[in-house]
């Protein structure tokens, strides 16, 4: 396990703090000293220049005002007719005065002072013939034909600043060396043993007892090493005993033909045997990472713990039927779930119930249509021969559809068993969907529901089993009509079918949407389950659905290697989304 080196981080942080404090102190001290010295030097040079100008003018005007005394650290040079004279007889830095007269005034910057006198003093930094850096402040002024140059050497101040920087660097290096030595000492005698014992504790937690730590001292670290070694021996002994007991219990549980799962009060799951683990992964485990089991089982587990009574439920998963018994364990405040495969016992009963359910669901709507149109003809509701012929044609189509109903009902079992065949052929999409919608024309008209079809321009034909897909969209439109909103709550009621083809992923995308009463949020995950009915939102008193329509729809879509999903809001509407992949080239 990778751990952060807090000691190294703290030492680095300390070094950075010291560096920052020293740097800030040095910077402020240098800046303050430099500003003070330079400001004083500039003022001294400028003041001396005024005295020198006054003195020179008094000489030119033959007005002797007495000898003016300059400060001894200032050089006052008079350049007259190509000759230079030092006017400050008390100047202490004779070498600087000589350098200005003989060398500085002969170079470009010095000549500029002679040709273009300055109004403010400037700082110069130049190397002399001995390669020594000279830093001085100079100011020039023209008085008649003569030029005055006043300068002050500040090299010793620059030397002081440089020495301060060297002192700062030395203190920083000394601090780093001291902290490094201290860190090495602490790591060697304290932190390294702690890290070794931490690694050893992690090994013990993973049932690895192959290493031990020898006691190296009689201090606190040594006592900790002794305690860790004793703990390792105790854990090793207990681990061996528990391992043997687990092997025996695992062998017994795995030999059973039922799955066993233990669920704690906190809903933590422990599969006891291989069968229980497989069942848990297959249909009990929740897709939500925060929940370990599905909500439908959480409720039964909670009831078993509270009531302290056994309960049973049956689950159908992957064409198999399981009996689940929830048995509370009072001493452990949990529930043991026993899972048994009862598919064989339920097979005959399931086949009989499926047949009755499918017949009642699939024959009810065609019979209602035939009855409605036959009564319309009988009561002379149709006014023209053409209308009667259209009604007769619809009756004929419904009768033909019912003629194939038995075959399709038998296909339900084959679909469930994975033995159904799909007869794919290129289908003209506009004719196909118009045909499905035409079967509901009379119902849509009587209900006042608008049905709209929209097909993209880039798709005309698609390969699919027309009979089976007819059943898919028949069921979806039939549901949309059954669960349409109350006309008093809608200005208009509609059903819209859109067909698009995505050429990038070669998929046909079909949506069937409505503005009906919608589906409750709790029911959406289960609406494609067999026999499920949403009693909260989509069931009306006049509707007695069997709950298998959408299950059949999903199975047919899966046979076409497609997917179906749904989005819905109560009292807003529902949208079914179907994606069918293009598995051949029969598309235009």
């Amino acid at each position: 396990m990778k751990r952060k080196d807090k000691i190294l981080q703290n030492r680095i942080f300390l070094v950075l703090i010291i560096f920052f404090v020293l740097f800030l102190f040095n910077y402020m001290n240098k800046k303050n000293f430099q500003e003070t010295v330079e400001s004083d030097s500039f003022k001294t040079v400028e003041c001396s220049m005024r005295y020198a100008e006054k003195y020179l003018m008094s000489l030119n005007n033959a007005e002797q005002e007495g000898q003016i005394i300059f400060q001894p650290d200032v050089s006052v040079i008079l350049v007259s007719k190509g000759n230079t004279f030092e006017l400050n007889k008390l100047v202490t830095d004779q070498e600087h005065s000589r350098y200005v007269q003989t060398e500085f005034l002969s170079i470009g910057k010095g000549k500029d002072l002679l040709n273009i006198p300055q109004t403010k003093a400037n700082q110069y930094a130049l190397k002399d013939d001995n390669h020594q850096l000279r830093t001085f402040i100079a100011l020039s002024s023209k008085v008649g034909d003569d030029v005055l140059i006043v300068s002050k050497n500040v090299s010793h101040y620059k030397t002081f600043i440089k020495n301060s920087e060297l002192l700062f660097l030395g203190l920083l290096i000394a601090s780093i060396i001291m902290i490094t030595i201290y860190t090495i000492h602490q790591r060697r005698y304290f932190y390294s043993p702690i890290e070794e014992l931490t690694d050893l504790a992690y090994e013990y937690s993973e049932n690895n007892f192959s290493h031990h730590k020898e006691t190296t001292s009689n201090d606190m670290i040594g006592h900790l090493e002794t305690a860790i070694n004793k703990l390792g021996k105790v854990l090793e002994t207990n681990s061996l005993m528990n391992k043997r007991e687990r092997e025996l219990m695992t062998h017994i549980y795995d030999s059973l033909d039922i799955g066993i799962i233990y669920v704690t009060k906190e809903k933590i799951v422990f599969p006891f045997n291989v069968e229980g683990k497989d069942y848990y992964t297959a249909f009990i485990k929740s897709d939500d990472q925060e929940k370990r089991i599905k909500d439908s089982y959480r409720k039964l587990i909670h009831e078993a713990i509270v009531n302290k009574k056994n309960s049973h439920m049956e689950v159908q998963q992957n064409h198999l039927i399981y009996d689940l018994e929830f048995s509370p364990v009072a001493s452990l405040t949990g529930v043991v779930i026993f899972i048994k495969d009862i598919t064989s016992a339920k097979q005959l009963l399931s086949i009989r119930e499926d047949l009755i359910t499918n017949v009642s669901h699939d024959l009810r709507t065609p019979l209602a249509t035939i009855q409605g149109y036959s009564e319309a003809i009988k009561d002379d509701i149709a006014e023209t021969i053409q209308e009667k012929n259209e009604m007769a044609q619809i009756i004929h189509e419904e009768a033909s559809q019912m003629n194939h109903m038995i075959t399709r009902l038998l296909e339900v079992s084959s679909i469930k068993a994975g033995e159904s065949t799909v007869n794919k052929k290129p289908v003209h999409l506009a004719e196909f969907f118009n045909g499905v919608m035409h079967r509901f024309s009379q119902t849509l008209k009587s209900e006042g529901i608008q049905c709209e079809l929209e097909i993209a321009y880039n798709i005309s034909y698609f390969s699919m089993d027309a009979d089976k897909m007819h059943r898919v969209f028949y069921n979806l439109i039939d549901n949309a009509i059954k669960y349409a909103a109350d006309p008093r709550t809608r200005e208009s009621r509609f059903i819209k079918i859109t067909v698009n083809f995505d050429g990038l992923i070669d998929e046909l995308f079909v949506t069937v949407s409505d503005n009906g009463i919608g589906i409750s949020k709790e029911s959406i995950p289960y609406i494609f389950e067999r026999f499920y009915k949403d009693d909260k939102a989509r069931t009306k008193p006049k509707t007695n659905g069997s709950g298998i329509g959408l299950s059949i729809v999903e199975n047919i879509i899966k046979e076409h290697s497609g997917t179906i999903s749904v989005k819905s809001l109560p009292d807003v509407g529902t949208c079914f989304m179907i994606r069918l992949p293009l598995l051949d080239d029969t598309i235009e």
Side-chain angles (χ1 to χ4, degrees):
M1 180 178 179
K2 187 177 180 181
R3 297 182 293 274
K4 295 182 178 179
D5 195 337
K6 290 293 184 183
I7 304 304
L8 180 59
Q9 291 179 358
N10 293 338
R11 297 297 180 268
I12 293 175
F13 183 67
L14 181 59
V15 169
L16 292 176
I17 292 177
I18 293 174
F19 172 80
F20 177 76
V21 171
L22 291 176
F23 174 80
L24 183 62
F25 175 77
N26 180 72
Y27 173 78
M28 296 299 294
N29 184 52
K30 183 175 71 172
K31 183 176 181 181
N32 181 59
F33 178 78
Q34 187 171 4
E35 288 179 352
T36 303
V37 170
E38 290 183 355
S39 176
D40 180 67
S41 299
F42 277 106
K43 290 179 180 179
T44 301
V45 170
E46 291 173 352
C47 182
S48 299
M49 176 59 76
R50 289 195 296 270
Y51 290 154
E53 289 176 343
K54 184 177 179 182
Y55 173 72
L56 187 59
M57 290 177 66
S58 66
L59 292 178
N60 293 338
N61 296 330
E63 296 177 0
Q64 188 69 27
E65 294 186 0
Q67 181 71 25
I68 296 179
I69 300 176
F70 299 101
Q71 295 185 13
D73 60 346
V74 176
S75 174
V76 182
I77 298 173
L78 172 64
V79 181
S80 178
K81 299 179 182 180
N83 298 317
T84 59
F85 305 94
E86 175 64 62
L87 299 182
N88 187 3
K89 303 303 181 181
L90 302 177
V91 63
T92 57
D93 195 347
Q94 294 291 337
E95 180 65 21
H96 169 69
S97 177
R98 186 201 63 77
Y99 171 77
V100 173
Q101 296 180 59
T102 60
E103 297 184 23
F104 176 67
L105 294 179
S106 63
I107 64 175
K109 294 182 179 181
K111 291 179 180 180
D112 290 341
L113 285 176
L114 295 175
N115 298 329
I116 306 174
Q118 299 176 345
T119 59
K120 292 184 179 181
N122 287 327
Q123 181 173 288
Y124 297 90
L126 301 170
K127 286 186 178 180
D128 59 15
D129 292 341
N130 297 324
H131 301 287
Q132 293 183 354
L133 184 65
R134 289 184 176 272
T135 304
F136 58 93
I137 296 171
L139 175 63
S140 64
S141 177
K142 193 170 183 66
V143 180
D145 294 332
D146 301 330
V147 178
L148 278 174
I149 298 176
V150 178
S151 62
K152 180 178 180 179
N153 188 7
V154 293
S155 297
H156 53 289
Y157 298 130
K158 297 296 182 181
T159 302
F160 176 80
I161 293 175
K162 184 177 180 180
N163 291 337
S164 298
E165 293 176 347
L166 292 175
L167 176 62
F168 161 72
L169 182 61
L171 290 175
L172 178 62
I173 293 174
S175 300
I176 294 175
I177 293 174
M178 292 177 62
I179 293 175
T180 302
I181 295 174
Y182 178 73
T183 302
I184 294 173
H185 179 271
Q186 290 290 93
R187 176 169 291 281
R188 180 177 179 182
Y189 294 99
F190 184 71
Y191 297 109
S192 292
I194 292 295
E195 287 182 350
E196 293 177 3
L197 291 175
T198 302
D199 293 335
L200 187 62
Y202 276 114
E203 291 183 9
Y204 290 166
S205 68
E206 297 172 356
N207 292 329
N208 180 9
F209 306 100
S210 58
H211 298 95
H212 297 280
K213 186 71 171 66
E214 298 296 332
T215 302
T216 57
S217 61
N218 195 30
D219 54 9
M220 293 180 62
I221 298 296
H223 294 166
L224 180 59
E225 291 170 344
T226 302
I228 291 292
N229 288 332
K230 290 183 178 180
L231 177 63
K233 293 179 181 179
V234 173
L235 291 176
E236 184 176 9
T237 302
N238 293 336
S239 177
L240 290 174
M241 296 177 60
N242 293 335
K243 182 179 179 181
R244 293 173 183 173
E245 293 179 359
R246 286 196 302 270
E247 289 177 351
L248 177 60
M249 296 300 295
T250 300
H251 176 73
I252 295 174
Y253 288 135
D254 289 342
S255 63
L256 300 176
D257 61 350
I258 62 174
I260 304 176
I261 299 175
Y262 175 68
V263 183
T264 67
K265 183 179 181 181
E266 293 77 18
K267 305 301 184 293
I268 300 176
V269 181
F270 297 95
F272 265 41
N273 59 0
V274 176
E275 293 287 335
K277 184 177 181 179
D278 293 340
Y279 292 150
Y280 170 69
T281 304
F283 58 89
I284 297 178
K285 185 178 180 181
S286 174
D287 295 332
D288 188 348
Q289 298 297 330
E290 297 181 358
K291 298 180 179 179
R292 296 178 176 85
I293 58 178
K294 292 182 179 179
D295 291 337
S296 55
Y297 301 103
R298 295 170 71 90
K299 182 179 179 181
L300 291 172
I301 293 171
H302 177 73
E303 291 178 353
I305 294 175
V306 173
N307 300 330
K308 296 181 173 53
K309 293 182 179 179
N310 290 13
S311 60
H312 289 262
M313 72 174 298
E314 292 184 2
V315 176
Q316 184 173 347
Q317 181 73 18
N318 297 330
H319 317 298
L320 300 175
I321 302 174
Y322 302 96
D323 175 71
L324 278 68
E325 179 181 357
F326 298 83
S327 178
V329 182
S331 60
L332 299 177
T333 63
V335 172
V336 177
I337 305 176
F338 300 97
I339 309 169
K340 186 175 182 180
D341 186 351
I342 57 172
T343 305
S344 299
K346 291 285 184 177
Q347 189 173 16
L348 293 178
L349 180 61
S350 176
I351 293 174
R352 183 178 65 184
E353 291 178 349
D354 285 352
L355 179 60
I356 295 173
T357 305
N358 284 326
V359 169
S360 63
H361 177 271
D362 291 326
L363 296 184
R364 184 181 295 112
T365 301
L367 285 174
T369 303
I370 292 174
Q371 182 179 359
Y373 281 109
S374 62
E375 289 178 353
I377 296 174
K378 177 182 177 182
D379 297 337
D380 290 330
I381 294 177
E383 297 179 353
T384 64
I385 297 298
Q386 183 179 357
E387 290 179 349
K388 291 182 179 181
N389 290 336
E390 290 179 356
M391 293 182 180
Q393 179 64 28
I394 293 174
I395 292 174
H396 176 74
E397 291 175 357
E398 295 296 334
S400 298
Q401 184 69 20
M402 291 175 61
N403 190 37
H404 299 288
M405 196 70 70
I406 299 301
T407 302
R408 291 202 296 269
L409 287 175
L410 293 176
E411 288 179 355
V412 173
S413 298
S414 61
I415 290 173
K416 189 176 179 181
E419 300 173 354
S420 176
T421 58
V422 179
N423 184 21
K424 288 187 176 182
K425 291 181 180 179
V427 176
H428 190 275
L429 296 177
E431 294 179 358
F432 172 79
F433 284 105
N434 283 324
V436 177
M437 293 165 56
H438 182 68
R439 292 184 61 186
F440 294 95
S441 59
Q442 186 65 26
T443 305
L444 293 170
K445 183 177 180 180
S446 63
E447 292 285 342
I449 300 175
Q450 298 177 356
C451 190
E452 179 183 352
L453 172 64
E454 181 180 312
I455 301 178
Y457 69 91
N458 63 338
I459 180 70
S460 298
Y461 287 86
F462 192 81
S463 181
M464 59 185 180
D465 190 320
D467 289 339
K468 291 187 175 183
M469 294 305 295
H470 187 282
R471 189 174 184 185
V472 168
F473 293 102
Y474 184 95
N475 273 298
L476 294 179
I477 296 175
D478 183 51
N479 281 345
I481 294 174
K482 287 179 180 178
Y483 303 116
D486 191 326
R488 293 172 295 180
T489 64
R490 298 283 192 274
E491 293 183 1
S492 63
R493 299 187 295 172
F494 67 84
I495 300 171
K496 184 176 182 179
I497 303 173
T498 61
V499 183
N500 293 284
F501 182 74
D502 191 338
L504 293 177
I505 56 177
D506 288 340
E507 277 190 353
L508 187 71
F509 183 54
V510 185
T511 63
V512 180
S513 57
D514 62 66
N515 63 342
I517 63 176
I519 306 173
S520 64
K521 181 179 179 181
E522 296 80 7
S523 298
I524 286 181
Y526 311 109
I527 62 171
F528 294 111
E529 292 185 4
R530 202 170 185 82
F531 310 117
Y532 181 80
K533 292 188 289 184
D534 182 9
D535 295 330
K536 295 182 179 180
R538 292 192 53 101
T539 300
K540 299 189 291 187
K542 64 179 182 180
T543 303
N544 294 313
S546 61
I548 68 167
L550 292 179
S551 174
I552 295 172
V553 167
E554 184 186 41
N555 285 328
I556 294 175
I557 295 299
K558 288 182 178 179
E559 284 185 328
H560 286 72
S561 302
T563 60
I564 181 171
S565 58
V566 61
K567 291 182 179 179
S568 183
L569 290 174
D571 299 324
V572 176
T574 302
C575 179
F576 286 90
M577 296 160 287
I578 299 173
R579 291 186 178 273
L580 299 173
L582 177 65
L583 301 179
D584 50 40
D585 298 330
T586 56
I587 181 172
E588 294 183 5

